[in-house]
Amino acid sequence: MRSSWFNKLSIIIGPRPPVNWLFLCLISLLVLIVVLGSSSSNIDDQAPDIPVSLIYTNYRRVKEQAVVDYLELRSVARGVSRQREFDLCGKERENFVPCYNVSANLLAGFKDGEEFDRHCELLVEAERCLVRPPKEYKIPLQWPAGRDVIWSGNVKITKNQFLASGSMTKRLMLLEENQIAFHSEDGLIYDGMKDYSRQLAEMIGLGSDNELPQAGVRTILDINCGFGSFAAHLASLKIMTVCIAPYEATGSQVQLALERGLPAVIGNFVARQLSYPSLSYDMVHCAQCGIIWDGKDGRFLIEVDRVLKPGGYFVLTSPTSRSQGSSSQMKRRNMLMPMEELTQQLCWTLLAQQDETFIWQKTADVNCYAYRKKHAIPLCKEDDDAQSYYRPLQPCISGTSSKRWIAIQNRSSGSELSSAELKINGKYCVQPEDFFEDLQFWRSALKNYWSLLTPLIFSDHPKRPGDEDPLPPFNMIRNVMDMSTKFGGLNTALLEEKKSVWVMNVVPATASNSLPFLLDRGFAGVMHDWCEPFPTYPRTYDMLHANGILSHLTSERCSLMNLFLEMDRILRPEGWVILSDNMGAIEMARTLAAQVRWEARIIDLQNGSDQRLLVCQKPFLKK
Ligand SMILES: *[C@@H]1O[C@H](CO)[C@@H](O)[C@H](O)[C@H]1NC(C)=O
Ligand SMILES: *[C@@H]1O[C@H](CO)[C@@H](O)[C@H](O)[C@H]1NC(C)=O
Ligand SMILES: *[C@@H]1O[C@H](CO)[C@@H](O)[C@H](O)[C@H]1NC(C)=O
């Protein structure tokens, strides 16, 4: 309607009204508000039984509408067509992950494995559309049931791939009608992970895997995690296990792990460092992960050393079935020889070997490097805590001069950092006072949030046929992404409330680097530039949360519309988004949310600031 009178005006005045005219328009709207506002208070005078808050709400609604109208007018004036809802993309984009186009990478001249790496610089601006769910898509089961059973229509895997999945962490899956079942430990048959994990603990010298956290193992990076069964087992021991695996068009390990509610992100060993700072993980695990560790002058092993904390473990479980000709004794020797040389140079000691499993321990003694042979791998010279976002693999050993060089066996055992550890991080980004203030803020914010996450807040929310009245969600959220975290406050508050979620803490690449601090706390985290797509599959998160990211990004070079399309891609149908920002940014976000077809409500926290929340839910679009 608005645009039709505007079109008529355009015919009379011409297609592009002068900007002054727009301001005139705005001013008349403001005058209208003042008139309405004063007439409201007149009514108030005459009829004292109308509550003031109602009038205030109406007044606010008019004011908000005025801002939206102004934004619309402005976009019309710029020649942008009236905002419309985006269409669904074609079926071929159901599992679309941007930046991993092998044929485009080959055309651009990438080779030697680099064609499989992430290359966002080659991303061409395609037609904007919403990635649709597959036809058989079903809302995932709630945690923990969803850890053991997923809908086969939700992931892209071929029957042959499924049957051929032969590796240890993959083979024990059963396909039932439209479900993929992973064995639960309490089931009649279990997947062997319990035995495997106990074996690892014993090799380290512990009585059982329950003792791993006390021994300093709280976070594990699982390279090419199969279908995440190792992580699924360790989750019950409160060990944070993050899966990384390369992009795979079908049968993706990252997609399956996330579908099961386990932390995972696309990442690979090709030419660049992983997007973690040095000294990040207590253990790096590779079970038949297919990486040739002694290749490329040991660069990949040096990268493992970089992300390992002092005293941390590297677990390698090698293929069993391939070389049947040679005796296992021979095979062990063949595999160990080149590794032996490299690991000595890295100051790792072979702690134990059993069957096909080897465990090395990284030195906790920084003086070890001085006693190595001459011509060994050099120590890096640059600032070791430099942000590793798109940094090439280094031929040198990192982290040795870091203040964060603390043996994992010597850390405080609780999940909270000691004040000494806080102080160390304070050198980088965290002041203890800021940290505790931030935490208090999130404790109270979370109480608000959880009550907002119910379809009830959308009064016009369509109920699905046969649904009971919607209840506040209980376990329906498992995979949470905090798109711009500072100190992991949301993560901490969720854990304190005993919600069965895990949080992918994203530290924006341009923000101050708090990632080392977050990883030291045992959280999952990654660095990311939100002007680029996030390295994950569609529909992998249940909730996205972003505090202040809109007002931050409007000052950047990238498009907010693209950000919303990307958020829509990674959010599962019926998933939630909570945006927190100043009023102007939230108003803009509401317009964008309408274009990606989310249900959206602005929530005024009524605390006197101009901060607003936009709570959104993505609909389950079929068609
Ligand atoms: C991948 O790149 C090729 C060559 O540039 C292009 O034709 C194709 O459309 C791209 N595919 C996707 C899914 O973007
Ligand atoms: C742990 O700390 C103690 C006391 O500060 C020290 O003697 C010991 O060498 C440390 N252990 C490791 C593995 O660094
Ligand atoms: C109100 O809440 C917002 C966000 O929840 C917060 O940033 C702001 O500081 C609060 N303002 C006051 C005056 O308490």
Side-chain angles (χ1 to χ4, degrees), residues 262-448:
L262 302 166
V265 65
I266 300 174
N268 47 6
F269 287 81
V270 178
R272 292 186 297 226
Q273 290 185 345
L274 305 174
S275 55
Y276 307 111
S278 46
L279 316 184
S280 292
Y281 286 93
D282 305 327
M283 180 184 277
V284 175
H285 177 252
C286 151
Q288 307 177 358
C289 66
I291 291 172
I292 302 166
W293 291 109
D294 52 316
K296 271 216 169 183
D297 305 325
R299 291 278 166 99
F300 301 149
L301 213 57
I302 294 173
E303 176 62 0
V304 168
D305 178 79
R306 185 183 72 83
V307 298
L308 260 188
K309 283 184 183 292
Y313 304 97
F314 177 56
V315 179
L316 180 62
T317 297
S318 66
T320 44
S321 54
R322 297 284 179 264
S323 46
Q324 273 154 347
S326 58
S327 74
S328 66
Q329 202 64 39
M330 276 284 289
K331 217 169 51 188
R332 205 167 293 162
R333 197 164 309 137
N334 286 346
M335 209 205 81
L336 265 183
M337 274 212 311
M339 289 289 276
E340 212 160 15
E341 174 68 25
L342 271 169
T343 51
Q344 271 171 14
Q345 295 199 31
L346 291 169
C347 276
W348 293 4
T349 43
L350 182 61
L351 207 62
Q353 63 179 94
Q354 226 180 69
D355 306 330
E356 319 296 322
T357 301
F358 303 80
I359 302 185
W360 283 270
Q361 184 172 27
K362 174 173 172 169
T363 185
D365 177 11
V366 80
N367 297 316
C368 171
Y369 301 103
Y371 296 112
R372 297 173 306 159
K373 278 189 294 196
K374 289 217 169 58
H375 311 302
I377 302 166
L379 304 185
C380 298
K381 295 209 169 57
E382 84 284 45
D383 178 12
D384 288 317
D385 286 292
Q387 304 206 1
S388 48
Y389 194 67
Y390 288 149
R391 221 159 144 242
L393 288 173
Q394 302 291 311
C396 55
I397 297 172
S398 304
T400 53
S401 59
S402 169
K403 298 282 187 303
R404 291 169 57 244
W405 185 280
I406 298 177
I408 61 168
Q409 292 80 5
N410 257 8
R411 278 183 321 197
S412 56
S413 56
S415 66
E416 279 317 317
L417 296 184
S418 67
S419 58
E421 285 166 303
L422 268 180
K423 208 180 279 169
I424 286 163
N425 277 287
K427 293 223 165 48
Y428 297 89
C429 67
V430 186
Q431 300 302 321
E433 315 83 70
D434 292 351
F435 169 68
F436 290 113
E437 192 179 310
D438 184 67
L439 185 56
Q440 278 308 335
F441 168 75
W442 284 107
R443 280 178 182 141
S444 69
L446 185 72
K447 288 203 171 45
N448 283 330

Side-chain angles (χ1 to χ4, degrees), residues 68 72 82-87 130 561 564-565 568 579 586-602 614-619 621:
V68 173
E72 271 186 24
R82 202 172 64 86
Q83 318 124 10
R84 52 169 189 96
E85 293 184 344
F86 287 106
D87 288 329
L130 302 172
M561 191 69 253
F564 270 65
L565 286 167
D568 185 75
L579 301 165
I586 288 294
E587 283 296 351
M588 189 164 51
R590 183 164 71 168
T591 322
L592 297 170
Q595 287 180 270
V596 294
R597 309 196 196 181
W598 299 342
E599 301 267 349
R601 279 286 179 281
I602 294 179
L614 189 70
V615 180
C616 315
Q617 191 178 26
K618 171 176 169 172
L621 296 174

Side-chain angles (χ1 to χ4, degrees), residues 33-52:
I33 291 163
V34 172
V35 170
L36 280 178
S38 60
S39 69
S40 304
S41 46
N42 285 344
I43 293 168
D44 194 21
D45 290 340
Q46 288 151 14
D49 50 3
I50 294 178
V52 177

